[in-house]
Amino acid sequence: MNDSAELVALASRLVEHARRLGADVAEASASEGWELSTMVRLGEVELLEEAGHRGVSLRVIRDARVATASTSDLTPAGLERCVVDAVGLLELTEPDPEAAPAEPGQLAQPPFADFDLYDVTLEGFEVETAIQLARQAEAVALGLDARVKHSEGAHCGRVLGRSALVLSSGFVGCKQGTYASLSVSPVVEETDGKRRRGSHYTAARFLAELETAESVGRIAAQRALDQIGARSVATTQAPVVFDPAMARSVIGTFAGCLLGGSLYRKSSYLVDREGSVVASPLVTLLDDPTILRGFGSRAYDGEGLPAARRVVVQDGKYLGPLLDLTSARKLGRAPTGSASRGGGSISSSTSNFVLVPGQLSEAELIRSMGTGLYVTELMGFGFNAMTGDYSRGASGFWIEAGERAFPVSGVTISSNLDTMLQQIDAIACEVPRVSSTLSPALRISSMTIAGE
């Protein structure tokens, strides 16, 4: 990959040109990256993609009017067109005084923390290695039990990327990161023709931190086997445990409700809830961009403001939202360094969103629940952010006397997210690190389980 200095120079040229054409404010980002994706099914390569990209995005402001433009055409003519288009669009936009840039005193100052996000080893991660890992994971899955006869495929890939942000206020920042992943989805066919799928994946910033292909294949196959004989249950009210992957989904859904854009548009049930109880006393949630090798780690946000660890829910009490500059001004608040920039547009976002773990192991959490549902997969997306109403298809295992009784499928779980979070009565201690949302398993004391 090229040096970040080239990206800084490229973004700087856009900023300078936009200012010459009359923009009061110009902000440019330049990025480059290489992606490799492979898929193997039943030992044969079905997908092989390797691509590089470079592109720029420009945001300009004049007389409180904002416009953006992006291009991957980095020829002189392409860059000229990007700047001219952005400046020209200013005549067509409505003024938005709250969309002003950061004051110089608000900006992050170098040197910027690194957080160890880039694995040089992945620069030498070739196609043959990716195919080999995918084949190994699938072969282990298919070889674990004679009943595992099919596969929806094994995927292996990596991403390398660099970016630079240049603001006309004088801010210049560069960052880089890598990502690697491996997954497999074996299938078991039952005697009645029903197919049960299991899956498992591993992901990390550093190649050496991936789970082994053997582990990925074995866990995925066991999950498929565990679903043999899955059936529905009678409609009831019962405790529900979400495994870590499904707990991440619940916590991520909540995160979307506390972002600035949702709040000033009044499309969140958390409007005017600051300072109130929104979760169980067991729940502490924080946004932490400083985690070493974290998927969402960053030293500064998309507007150049310093990123810092922020507690959003403390012992169940909602302390405050995550805000970019525009949403902060619209809400009469201070920004939280939570801006994300994409294609020139800016919105608030999470970095590493973390549910602080509890004391129980996941096994202990399940044993202490008595009778209820252990959810390992969710389907559909039945959630109303304005009311908090929550309803999704689910599968997993029915628990009796703290032990797995039988696999479950074809049920729907429902409640209200506000109620769900306040009814969390146990949180496990193990936190898998496979995404920017970090959560252990959690238990909700009662939900409606609709089945037979």
Side-chain angles (χ1 to χ4, degrees), residues 206-262:
F206 278 60
L207 181 62
E209 294 182 357
L210 287 181
E211 295 178 41
T212 65
E214 180 180 0
S215 173
V216 172
R218 176 175 45 79
I219 293 172
Q222 191 59 57
R223 287 178 175 174
L225 291 165
D226 287 345
Q227 285 297 313
I228 293 176
R231 62 183 190 269
S232 187
V233 297
T235 297
T236 187
Q237 292 270 344
V240 174
V241 171
F242 292 85
D243 80 354
M246 300 306 102
R248 287 195 298 272
S249 173
V250 173
I251 297 306
T253 298
F254 176 76
C257 295
L258 54 78
L259 299 180
S262 297

Side-chain angles (χ1 to χ4, degrees), residues 2-17 27-32 54-57 74 79 112 162-168 170-176 300:
N2 296 318
D3 189 88
S4 296
E6 293 185 20
L7 298 178
V8 171
L10 180 59
S12 297
R13 288 200 297 272
L14 289 180
V15 168
E16 292 165 3
H17 191 24
E27 304 171 344
S29 60
S31 63
E32 66 176 4
R54 297 189 83 193
V56 295
S57 298
L74 303 188
L79 296 174
F112 301 121
R162 285 196 177 104
S163 65
L165 176 64
V166 177
L167 310 181
S168 55
F171 177 88
V172 177
C174 302
K175 55 187 176 182
Q176 60 181 3
Y300 57 87

